[in-house]
Amino acid sequence: MEKKIRELLSAIIHPEKGHDLLSGGMVERIEASAERIVVTLRFAKARDPFAPKLRKQAQEAIAEAFPQCTVEVDVHEGTPRKVEAEQKSTTGQIGHVVAVASGKGGVGKSTVTANLAIALRNLGYRVGILDADIYGPSQPKLFGVEDYLPAAVHEDDMDQIVPAESMGIKIMSIGFFVKPNDALLWRGAMAVNALRQLIHQTRWGKLDVLLTDLPPGTGDIHLSIINELKIDSAVIVSTPQQVAVADVRRGVELFRNPQVKIPVAGIVENMAWFTPAELPQNRYYLFGRGGARRFAEENGVDFLGEIPIVQSIMEGSDAGSPAATCDPMVEPYYRDVAQKIVDKVMKNQL
Ligand code: ADP
């Protein structure tokens, strides 16, 4: 889709400059999803007299090629201020980026991300978390660093933001910059710009793995993150109730989309059963059994494991100390999932 859009833009010539929009470097950004295409054109000259006409040409050409999409062509003027900073990125020393996604909110995606980070750390890896969940950034609370105020440093010729560090995990969250109640009010473009900065300007240093806590669902924001961050694979979290629901399938399809093509490492079933602390051998399958395994088989993805509902998981989240750090009953479940991710993603068995 993006390729086709580029082709269309390369057929439109700036009458004064004589070059086309693409080779003239005037295409600043293309965001394309199944329903919506947003293109940003950059005109070096302020109030370029050809801008309205070229904008209209681009709009019409794209709308004709993709009649099922709403098409928006924006025009920016002047030389971009931060070209240099945007081209540079602090992600160069990250071994693997693993996105953690879910079809819906509330299934435990953030809790799984935090505990997986601890389990991977326990396996000896250097781990970071990028909390990109603009609708409910919860990593600061999960790691007890809600009050952290990120500092900026100038290093390697660029401004870098220092991540929080808790229990040996480096954490950068959109939550450090926005109050929880404001997150929902964010307009798409604002959130995307902020995330872009967090992605490219966080001083991660050397990491073996960066877990990215994505917002729930499959919207434009996901495509923006996918465009910015080279994600190596995705892990989908679901509960037994959710697994039969189309949202989870859409989650898998987002990554499999031919334009995205990110391997799905597999699915984690969270809240698979309930085990009371005083009866650790007992398992109560409150929401049915085996759904995620079946889903995995039917959709050709791997099943990475299951995590029970345990009180300490919830309590650990509230106390700012993920349960995998302190509950020996819980830790093995996350360790198994972490080991599968290591085998598949980091040892390249995808
Ligand atoms: P999401 O990121 O998908 O919105 P959260 O990770 O915030 O979901 O989890 C939602 C709630 O469920 C939180 O209160 C969390 O403590 C709780 N929770 C998640 N997983 C478990 C689990 N396995 N056992 C008990 N509580 C859990």
Side-chain angles (χ1 to χ4, degrees):
M1 201 167 173
E2 242 190 73
K3 193 165 161 240
K4 174 74 189 159
I5 297 170
R6 282 180 200 284
E7 249 172 59
L8 293 167
L9 296 171
S10 69
I12 301 174
I13 311 287
H14 191 296
E16 189 185 41
K17 306 222 182 291
H19 58 58
D20 66 83
L21 297 184
L22 192 73
S23 63
M26 297 174 66
V27 181
E28 186 167 271
R29 196 156 175 77
I30 299 175
E31 273 177 56
S33 67
E35 294 110 37
R36 189 160 173 257
I37 297 171
V38 183
V39 170
T40 308
L41 299 178
R42 163 78 56 183
F43 288 79
K45 188 155 92 184
R47 288 185 294 283
D48 185 320
F50 294 102
K53 184 172 160 227
L54 292 168
R55 185 186 155 278
K56 190 157 171 270
Q57 276 183 3
Q59 163 96 36
E60 285 171 358
I62 299 168
E64 196 186 323
F66 298 100
Q68 75 282 12
C69 294
T70 56
V71 178
E72 191 184 317
V73 178
D74 300 327
V75 167
H76 287 181
E77 292 182 339
T79 317
R81 262 177 293 128
K82 282 187 287 182
V83 170
E84 220 182 307
E86 275 173 13
Q87 279 168 351
K88 287 196 156 195
S89 175
T90 49
T91 55
Q93 298 187 83
I94 299 174
H96 294 86
V97 180
V98 177
V100 185
S102 67
K104 272 238 157 80
V107 300
K109 168 182 55 65
S110 303
T111 311
V112 168
T113 307
N115 282 284
L116 269 183
I118 296 289
L120 286 162
R121 177 207 71 178
N122 291 349
L123 291 172
Y125 294 98
R126 290 166 295 189
V127 186
I129 297 179
L130 172 69
D131 182 5
D133 187 351
I134 52 162
Y135 303 112
S138 43
Q139 296 303 331
K141 179 160 173 47
L142 290 168
F143 281 90
V145 289
E146 297 110 302
D147 296 331
Y148 178 73
L149 290 173
V153 291
H154 196 79
E155 253 178 49
D156 295 335
D157 226 9
M158 66 186 294
D159 292 325
Q160 301 192 14
I161 318 164
V162 181
E165 194 157 346
S166 176
M167 296 169 232
I169 314 282
K170 290 193 176 151
I171 300 153
M172 182 49 78
S173 171
I174 198 83
F176 293 144
F177 303 90
V178 56
K179 289 193 220 80
N181 292 339
D182 295 343
L184 276 173
L185 301 175
W186 277 33
R187 286 188 306 115
M190 253 171 89
V192 167
N193 282 335
L195 283 175
R196 194 183 304 155
Q197 283 207 344
L198 293 198
I199 289 170
H200 296 293
Q201 286 177 245
T202 297
R203 191 174 67 169
W204 295 112
K206 281 202 174 94
L207 289 182
D208 297 306
V209 56
L210 178 69
L211 299 179
T212 306
D213 188 352
L214 290 184
T218 49
D220 286 352
I221 193 104
H222 296 80
L223 291 171
S224 308
I225 298 170
I226 287 164
N227 275 338
E228 292 293 331
L229 190 62
K230 201 194 142 301
I231 296 174
D232 296 288
S233 69
V235 169
I236 314 273
V237 179
S238 175
T239 58
Q241 304 106 295
Q242 277 296 321
V243 88
V245 179
D247 295 319
V248 182
R249 193 161 291 123
R250 272 201 291 277
V252 173
E253 278 161 10
L254 167 81
F255 295 105
R256 285 189 171 162
N257 181 304
Q259 260 75 47
V260 172
K261 275 204 202 139
I262 293 174
V264 176
I267 181 161
V268 176
E269 187 171 49
N270 188 35
M271 311 199 199
W273 65 82
F274 170 64
T275 291
E278 61 281 9
L279 292 169
Q281 304 309 321
N282 289 23
R283 294 182 174 191
Y284 302 96
Y285 291 86
L286 306 177
F287 311 113
R289 193 171 174 180
R293 260 182 218 280
R294 271 196 303 281
F295 174 91
E297 267 165 34
E298 283 165 16
N299 290 276
V301 288
D302 275 4
F303 182 65
L304 296 175
E306 43 207 355
I307 315 287
I309 304 177
V310 182
Q311 201 171 336
S312 70
I313 296 180
M314 208 167 56
E315 286 168 358
S317 298
D318 287 342
S321 169
T325 53
C326 51
D327 185 344
M329 190 180 114
V330 160
E331 195 270 340
Y333 295 110
Y334 292 110
R335 192 197 318 141
D336 281 359
V337 176
Q339 189 61 57
K340 287 211 180 78
I341 292 174
V342 167
D343 293 343
K344 293 198 62 163
V345 180
M346 298 162 77
K347 297 188 180 158
N348 263 335
Q349 292 174 17
L350 273 173

